[in-house]
């Protein structure tokens, strides 16, 4: 691809690529690196993107890159326990529980949830992007919803128990 085409794709889809990378990697800095790497790969490698399929193509490249990053991270030793992580401010108060529940999902489940609920892809489209069957996508979505429902219900129950003991 030439530079102008990649720049147009970057302008149109960099936010989508970033959000999908965040859903996989759970780290905004690594997600920014993923965005850069995805678009650099478009510049370096010959590829053909069919008109109207740009978003799905970029989602597929992003998912593959993030899976590679997660695989590589498993091979590295964990960081020292005393390493301080910078605190990210929560953009919307009251959503911390939902964010924590989403972060507890597996990367595959988070990607399916993101692609279905945020990006608006169907199960068949997600299956093509992630390289699984449509029934596999539905299974990931159902398990993710059940896990989220159970976690959020448990957190609400814990909050109610604390508030009744305070009285």
């Amino acid at each position: 691809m030439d530079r102008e085409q990649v720049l147009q794709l970057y302008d149109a889809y960099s936010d989508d690529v970033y959000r999908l990378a965040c859903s996989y990697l759970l780290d905004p800095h690594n997600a920014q690196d993923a965005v850069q790497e995805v678009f650099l790969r478009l510049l370096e490698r010959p590829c053909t993107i069919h008109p109207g399929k740009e978003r799905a193509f970029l989602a597929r490249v992003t998912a593959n890159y993030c899976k590679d990053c997660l695989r590589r991270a498993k091979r590295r030793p964990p960081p020292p326990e005393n390493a301080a992580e910078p605190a990210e401010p929560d953009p919307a108060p009251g959503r911390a529980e939902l964010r924590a529940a989403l972060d507890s999902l597996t990367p595959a489940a988070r990607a399916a949830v993101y692609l279905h609920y945020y990006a608006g892809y169907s199960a068949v489209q997600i299956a093509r992007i992630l390289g699984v069957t449509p029934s596999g996508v539905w299974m990931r979505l159902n398990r993710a919803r059940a896990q989220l429902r159970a976690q959020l219900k448990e957190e609400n129950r814990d909050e109610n128990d604390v508030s009744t003991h305070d009285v």
Side-chain angles (χ1 to χ4, degrees), residues 63-121:
N64 288 339
Y65 176 77
C66 291
K67 288 176 190 176
D68 290 343
C69 287
L70 292 172
R71 242 181 264 121
R72 273 182 264 143
K74 283 182 182 178
R75 290 186 222 140
R76 283 191 220 132
E81 294 283 332
N82 60 359
E85 294 185 22
E88 292 276 330
D90 193 13
R95 292 193 177 198
E97 297 87 15
L98 180 59
R99 171 47 73 198
L102 284 170
D103 289 351
S104 72
L105 296 175
T106 64
R110 276 194 311 271
V113 167
Y114 169 78
L115 290 170
H116 184 70
Y117 291 105
Y118 180 79
Y121 285 111

Side-chain angles (χ1 to χ4, degrees), residues 4-133:
E4 287 301 315
Q5 289 174 318
V6 173
L7 286 174
Q8 288 174 351
L9 288 174
Y10 181 85
D11 290 339
Y13 300 107
S14 62
D15 287 340
D16 291 337
V17 170
Y18 174 76
R19 286 187 176 98
L20 180 58
C22 272
S23 74
Y24 265 103
L25 303 174
L26 298 177
D27 181 23
H29 302 293
N30 288 342
Q32 290 171 349
D33 291 343
V35 171
Q36 291 176 4
E37 185 63 32
V38 165
F39 287 101
L40 278 174
R41 287 182 180 191
L42 293 180
L43 279 172
E44 294 170 351
R45 298 180 181 154
C47 59
T48 303
I49 302 177
H50 301 288
K53 304 285 184 179
E54 297 92 354
R55 189 173 177 206
F57 177 81
L58 289 170
R60 178 66 183 228
V61 172
T62 304
N64 288 339
Y65 176 77
C66 291
K67 288 176 190 176
D68 290 343
C69 287
L70 292 172
R71 242 181 264 121
R72 273 182 264 143
K74 283 182 182 178
R75 290 186 222 140
R76 283 191 220 132
E81 294 283 332
N82 60 359
E85 294 185 22
E88 292 276 330
D90 193 13
R95 292 193 177 198
E97 297 87 15
L98 180 59
R99 171 47 73 198
L102 284 170
D103 289 351
S104 72
L105 296 175
T106 64
R110 276 194 311 271
V113 167
Y114 169 78
L115 290 170
H116 184 70
Y117 291 105
Y118 180 79
Y121 285 111
S122 70
V124 174
Q125 293 169 321
I126 296 170
R128 276 191 234 120
I129 290 169
L130 299 179
V132 296
T133 63

